[in-house]
Amino acid sequence: MFSYLKRLLIGRPLKSTELGEQKISKTKALAILSSDALSSVAYGPEQILIVLISVGVAAFWYSIPIAVGVLILLVALILSYRQVIFAYPHGGGAYVVSKENLGMYPGLIAGGSLLVDYILTVAVSVSAGTDAITSAFPALHAHTVGIAVLFVILITILNLRGVTESASILAYPVYLFVLALFILIGAGIYQIAAGSVPPDLHAPIGTPIAGISLFLLLRAFASGSSALTGVEAISNAIPNFKDPAPNNAAKTLLAMGALLALLFSGIVYLAYYYGVAPKEEVTVLSQIAERTFGRNFMYFFIQGTTALILILAANTGYSAFPLLAVNLAKDKFIPRMFTIRGDRLGYSNGIIFLGVLSILLIIGFKGQTEHLIPLYAVGVFIPFTLAQTGMILKWVRQKPRGWQPKLMINTVGALISLVVSLMFFLTKFAQVWSVLVFLPLIILLFHRIKKHYDAVGDQLRITECAETLPIEGNVFILPVAGVTRVVENSLKYVKSLSPDQIIAVYVPFEREEEAIFEEKWGKWQPDVRLVTLHSPYRSIINPLSKFIDTVQRRAGESNYHVTVVIPQFIPKKAWHNILHNQSSLLIRAYLLRRRDVVVTTVPYHLTK
Amino acid sequence: MFSYLKRLLIGRPLKSTELGEQKISKTKALAILSSDALSSVAYGPEQILIVLISVGVAAFWYSIPIAVGVLILLVALILSYRQVIFAYPHGGGAYVVSKENLGMYPGLIAGGSLLVDYILTVAVSVSAGTDAITSAFPALHAHTVGIAVLFVILITILNLRGVTESASILAYPVYLFVLALFILIGAGIYQIAAGSVPPDLHAPIGTPIAGISLFLLLRAFASGSSALTGVEAISNAIPNFKDPAPNNAAKTLLAMGALLALLFSGIVYLAYYYGVAPKEEVTVLSQIAERTFGRNFMYFFIQGTTALILILAANTGYSAFPLLAVNLAKDKFIPRMFTIRGDRLGYSNGIIFLGVLSILLIIGFKGQTEHLIPLYAVGVFIPFTLAQTGMILKWVRQKPRGWQPKLMINTVGALISLVVSLMFFLTKFAQVWSVLVFLPLIILLFHRIKKHYDAVGDQLRITECAETLPIEGNVFILPVAGVTRVVENSLKYVKSLSPDQIIAVYVPFEREEEAIFEEKWGKWQPDVRLVTLHSPYRSIINPLSKFIDTVQRRAGESNYHVTVVIPQFIPKKAWHNILHNQSSLLIRAYLLRRRDVVVTTVPYHLTK
């Protein structure tokens, strides 16, 4: 049943050799790798307005200078990451760059924030995509959480199937989204130029506003910089590009930066000119589209492609998270299971973990994106800062030809990223404080896990010097519940091993049973020694394990080994198991964990 | 942690010998065994009025003749059960009486309905008790379900501790309730007699009512007879009485019948005279108490004792259900686990099962008692009918001295019970149809379970004729994951058993690993044969079990036995287990279930 359902959902298993690395062209790469960054324009501008509205609608003109600041930040980041691409042509995620240049702990800080961040990518993108849908169809607004969860489940299943195969299909929505937004921005600017938009919808730039403060403006800037999340994606994926990979990746990065800059500026400008105010139930982008086109085909085209690209952006999390997890698991910082490839060759454990956690986040935050965005942005800018700082150290240490301008670019990138990170903590502490709690906890956990794996490795390694005494003989203990074929079967097996001693053990709960059973046993197996252990508290495990201790102490003196043989009958159908007390399972688990005895299970298969 | 919490909640374990059967006196027995029956007067009269109000308030006078009918039914039942007491002095539940006299299926019908019924007893009594509390404190009305669930959990814990020890404490609330109701009825009748109650609150008896029908009256009668649930309790518990047990039990039964009759008549009469109408949020009993005393101390005393006795009535379910389950489990109709005594000598599995199911019922029905009462009553009257019919057959077959009057009494009892049962199906089919679905399903399940146990018993029994070939030799298969101390440890153990053949099996996922490992192994253990099974689909179980099949086929020819030895390292702390892929657990479970091989686990305990 379960395996049939699994086949149906994720397809037949693939051979390891079917893992072919497909090289992708620049146009395809631009589409696949920039969905996260480009989709950010769907919520980035809105974040600026949400801060400004606390002063008043007239303050909206500040969104223009703030947007200029964000664009400067974008240029710095693009140039910095261009250098990461050439320096780490095999893919330089913030984790690798920080670990190599700054050491283990900075690497873990970068890795830890990115892990959390990819979960937030999925939660934020899918929630924002759902918002785009519910803005278009307000009747669905009550079901936001359900729809978002459904999307996450869908994306998880697609990724378990192995979404890379169908990557080319994923390219269309991205280009459609870019096309849709260009049409929107073009039409909007045309309408403004043609004078068909009343010019009094907004306060002119420079209008003095009472109550505006530097703090508020920094806050709005920090919020707006959330539109830059996702620009690091290309630098992680260089090996997937066609040769010469670094050059192609760098060109793609520049193209993405240009597109992002144009779309971001256009949306901010239209929002300002139309005087759009952020609303609970309708996104800013939806309002702009409605003002420009009315609720016609173009409106639904824009909302549709927005929803699609946002949900695709979640997919970025699904490609990045499992790969980062593999790197961390190979370095022994997280459980080894994240390195296992599933039936379809994807890292299924990472994919499932990501899906489950983002669903929990969506449910926990009731699908309200705005509460997650600051956390998300901080989680991006901390690794940004660390990676750029790592690059600074790299240039200073290695001093390759022409390193001075490179150093300068990364220094500017590092400083700006650091300033943005600090701004988040200064201006939005109430929303991002949890980073300061969880990040140290995560790093502590990483550290503990690493310590454990190292200790296990030490203990399992075979060293020349360690000599152990040979086993001189074997004692077999056979707990029996009655005179049955199951016991007969186990006895026959134990006897065939011709051990030095066999002891059958019976644990009666009542004194009367004791004599009766001893007599019965004596008639049936006169040559096998029987020990009865009366258990007044009706526990089988306690007297049995005490008895094992005694036998072991005696056996240890002469270096004999103790084996407990458990006779177990296996019912024909699995549901029959609930009809039988599974004491053998409990005994086995307890003995293996608590005592140094070998546990042998002799099955007796029932046929009806 | 868990075991500490267990100690705290249910106390230290008791020895089997501490199980002393406490004989109880008539006064104590009356209190303990009649809480279910007496508490029914808290909701029985209300059920009559709920039916009559559909015609109009004026129809309430019909409650008087209906109550007379219920009293006649009560007399018949008391007399019938008096005979059961003398005929089955060791406790004659409906299950035993029906099974012995009518055969297996009628016995199972009685047993099945009683099992379900005890669950309903708990759900209905606790819900009604909660109603009494929320009637007194309307602010709590929104939390009905939560309060009821809390009470069930509390009673479950008390019963797991072993409530019988403190049985004498349980006697007080019952007598307090009887006292409270006598005061209420006395004060009410005094007020009526003194003329301080306006006589125009009710329509006089005999007022013609438009729209009344025989169907409706029968329906009201059936509803009212729910006040008689619980009268069978004494006949199940005869062995607990002081000698002469049957005589004492019979006297207690009569006393209970008399009390029940008085309380029931009093409540019905006052409700009629005051013209009380059933309300959603306030019980009829609460309304009567409020009219008689106002909201003073007496009112809260009555509500408090009512709540207490109702919750104690749930306790009746907790004493009856596990005992019936033990009887059914001994006859192999339900899983054997119900016969196991827990740490405190109670049948913990039955107690927990009852608690969980009644919580599910309460949550499922949102704590609304009235929807459960018809189901509950039907579940009582079906076994009533079967038990009385069984008694009829017993008299006819055995013909003891003076059997004719006994036969007549049980015949009347059986007929009336049958009529009431049928009435429920005729007049409240919408509420009780589920009995017709679930009862056959339950009996089918009982039957399947019995069949399984019988089949297992047959297969386990040792018969003289069955001769099996002796095992001639042993082959050991040792799956290895690397050259480690865990493997070394297991190899040492296997070698000490000096088997005929040892085969180490390695399952590489990549072709390259194969040669590397073979070389490494050859250097380390040149005398142990290594087989590598390349697994292109990255599964360990599939190639391993195919290999075992091959070995087994060859070994089977010469009657060799195959043992799979699993090297397993046991981490120091339990949480470490999530850091290691538990393939050994999966392999063991799979092999034991699917293949006829012995599985031996050799633990290697890590020390840090």
Side-chain angles (χ1 to χ4, degrees), chain A residues 12-18 334-345 445 448-449 452-453 455-456 458-463 466 468-474 476 483-486 488-489 492-493 496-499 509-510 524 534-538 561-563 568-581 588 591-608, chain B residues 12-18 334-345 445 448-449 452-453 455-456 458-463 466 468-474 476 483-486 488-489 492-493 496-499 509-510 524 534-538 561-563 568-581 588 591-608:
Chain A
R12 65 165 187 91
L14 295 176
K15 284 195 181 180
S16 304
T17 46
E18 290 179 68
I334 62 172
R336 203 178 297 160
M337 61 171 175
F338 286 107
T339 62
I340 296 175
R341 286 186 190 274
D343 278 354
R344 303 284 289 186
L345 299 169
L445 185 67
R448 295 276 310 264
I449 291 176
H452 169 74
Y453 277 130
V456 170
D458 281 348
Q459 289 173 86
L460 297 193
R461 201 167 298 120
I462 291 179
T463 46
T468 49
L469 293 168
I471 298 172
E472 282 169 27
N474 282 285
F476 279 77
V483 168
T484 64
R485 287 196 171 225
V486 191
E488 186 184 40
N489 181 51
K492 203 171 80 173
Y493 172 74
S496 81
L497 294 174
S498 44
F509 294 165
E510 312 280 347
W524 185 49
H534 176 234
S535 171
Y537 292 103
R538 300 165 307 288
H561 208 89
V562 177
T563 303
Q568 186 171 0
F569 66 86
I570 313 287
K572 198 177 171 205
K573 285 175 188 158
W575 75 265
H576 289 160
N577 279 310
I578 58 162
L579 300 180
H580 302 284
N581 308 329
R588 186 168 58 201
L591 290 182
L592 282 178
R593 174 124 203 91
R594 301 300 176 97
R595 297 284 179 278
D596 191 20
V597 290
V598 175
V599 178
T600 294
T601 309
V602 184
Y604 183 82
H605 289 263
L606 300 182
T607 50
K608 51 186 182 181
Chain B
R12 65 165 187 90
L14 295 176
K15 284 194 182 181
S16 304
T17 46
E18 290 178 67
I334 62 173
R336 202 178 297 159
M337 62 171 175
F338 287 107
T339 62
I340 297 176
R341 286 187 190 272
D343 278 354
R344 304 284 289 183
L345 298 169
L445 185 66
R448 295 277 309 262
I449 291 176
H452 169 74
Y453 277 129
V456 171
D458 281 347
Q459 290 172 85
L460 298 193
R461 202 167 299 121
I462 292 180
T463 45
T468 49
L469 292 169
I471 298 173
E472 283 169 26
N474 282 284
F476 280 76
V483 168
T484 65
R485 284 193 173 228
V486 191
E488 187 184 37
N489 181 51
K492 204 171 79 173
Y493 172 74
S496 82
L497 294 174
S498 45
F509 293 167
E510 313 279 345
W524 185 50
H534 176 237
S535 171
Y537 292 102
R538 300 166 307 287
H561 209 88
V562 177
T563 302
Q568 184 171 3
F569 66 87
I570 314 287
K572 199 179 170 202
K573 286 174 187 159
W575 74 265
H576 289 160
N577 279 312
I578 57 160
L579 300 181
H580 302 284
N581 308 328
R588 187 168 56 202
L591 290 182
L592 282 177
R593 174 121 203 91
R594 300 301 176 95
R595 296 284 179 278
D596 191 21
V597 289
V598 175
V599 178
T600 293
T601 309
V602 185
Y604 183 81
H605 289 264
L606 298 182
T607 51
K608 51 183 183 181

Side-chain angles (χ1 to χ4, degrees), chain B residues 286-504:
Chain B
S286 165
Q287 293 184 56
I288 296 175
E290 197 170 355
R291 295 261 180 116
T292 311
F293 298 112
R295 280 207 162 231
N296 64 5
F297 168 75
M298 269 312 294
Y299 168 79
F300 286 103
F301 179 60
I302 287 165
Q303 287 304 104
T305 52
T306 307
L308 255 178
I309 200 184
L310 279 164
I311 287 160
L312 280 185
N315 205 55
T316 314
Y318 278 88
S319 26
F321 181 93
L323 280 174
L324 177 59
V326 168
N327 279 330
L328 280 165
K330 280 187 179 157
D331 290 346
K332 300 186 186 168
F333 290 116
I334 62 173
R336 202 178 297 159
M337 62 171 175
F338 287 107
T339 62
I340 297 176
R341 286 187 190 272
D343 278 354
R344 304 284 289 183
L345 298 169
Y347 295 106
S348 343
N349 289 326
I351 293 170
I352 292 169
F353 188 83
L354 177 62
V356 170
L357 279 181
S358 42
I359 286 177
L360 289 182
L361 264 182
I362 289 171
I363 293 174
F365 281 80
K366 295 184 183 146
Q368 290 176 311
T369 339
E370 62 274 21
H371 298 303
L372 292 174
I373 289 178
L375 215 56
Y376 175 36
V378 155
V380 172
F381 278 97
I382 291 173
F384 276 4
T385 312
L386 288 167
Q388 303 305 333
T389 312
M391 292 302 288
I392 295 175
L393 283 190
K394 186 185 170 77
W395 302 137
V396 171
R397 282 192 196 129
Q398 299 177 350
K399 297 198 177 64
R401 203 142 56 95
W403 61 278
Q404 292 93 339
K406 289 179 181 169
L407 174 67
M408 218 194 63
I409 289 174
N410 282 125
T411 309
V412 172
L415 280 177
I416 296 193
S417 302
L418 179 67
V419 168
V420 174
S421 307
L422 290 178
M423 242 175 239
F424 270 104
F425 282 107
L426 282 174
T427 64
K428 306 196 148 204
F429 190 74
Q431 284 155 295
V432 300
W433 61 268
S434 54
V435 171
L436 297 181
V437 176
F438 286 111
L439 212 49
L441 281 181
I442 290 171
I443 288 161
L444 182 70
L445 185 66
F446 285 172
H447 189 73
R448 295 277 309 262
I449 291 176
K450 166 94 171 162
K451 220 176 109 188
H452 169 74
Y453 277 129
D454 285 345
V456 171
D458 281 347
Q459 290 172 85
L460 298 193
R461 202 167 299 121
I462 292 180
T463 45
E464 297 292 320
C465 55
E467 274 285 317
T468 49
L469 292 169
I471 298 173
E472 283 169 26
N474 282 284
V475 180
F476 280 76
I477 295 175
L478 182 81
V480 298
V483 168
T484 65
R485 284 193 173 228
V486 191
V487 174
E488 187 184 37
N489 181 51
S490 301
L491 258 178
K492 204 171 79 173
Y493 172 74
V494 177
K495 283 175 181 172
S496 82
L497 294 174
S498 45
D500 303 270
Q501 201 181 1
I502 305 176
I503 310 172

Side-chain angles (χ1 to χ4, degrees), chain A residues 139-332:
Chain A
L140 295 174
H141 197 263
H143 307 290
T144 311
V145 174
I147 296 172
V149 168
L150 220 71
F151 275 126
V152 175
I153 293 173
L154 200 74
I155 302 172
T156 307
I157 292 174
L158 276 179
N159 276 279
L160 286 174
R161 284 191 80 94
V163 83
T164 42
E165 289 175 357
S166 50
S168 30
I169 303 172
L170 298 182
Y172 295 110
V174 179
Y175 282 112
L176 283 179
F177 172 73
V178 171
L179 180 71
L181 282 208
F182 273 136
I183 293 175
L184 173 65
I185 294 168
I189 290 176
Y190 173 81
Q191 285 180 11
I192 292 170
S196 59
V197 181
D200 54 347
L201 291 172
H202 56 272
I205 293 174
T207 312
I209 308 292
I212 201 92
S213 66
L214 183 63
F215 180 79
L216 192 97
L217 291 178
L218 288 177
R219 197 180 152 103
F221 172 65
S223 294
S225 63
S226 66
L228 305 185
T229 52
V231 298
E232 80 289 1
I234 290 177
S235 71
N236 296 336
I238 314 166
N240 296 340
F241 279 86
K242 280 190 182 150
D243 283 329
N247 288 356
N248 283 330
K251 280 179 195 156
T252 311
L253 181 68
L254 289 181
M256 181 186 80
L259 281 179
L260 183 53
L262 283 174
L263 297 182
F264 181 75
S265 327
I267 300 291
V268 171
Y269 178 69
L270 286 187
Y272 159 67
Y273 201 91
Y274 288 160
V276 170
K279 282 184 198 168
E280 169 74 24
E281 308 208 347
V282 189
T283 63
V284 164
L285 194 60
S286 164
Q287 293 184 55
I288 295 176
E290 197 170 354
R291 295 261 180 118
T292 311
F293 297 112
R295 280 206 163 235
N296 63 6
F297 168 75
M298 269 313 294
Y299 169 80
F300 286 104
F301 179 61
I302 288 165
Q303 287 304 105
T305 52
T306 307
L308 255 179
I309 199 183
L310 279 164
I311 288 160
L312 280 186
N315 205 54
T316 313
Y318 277 88
S319 27
F321 182 95
L323 281 174
L324 176 59
V326 168
N327 278 330
L328 281 165
K330 280 187 178 158
D331 291 344
K332 299 185 184 167

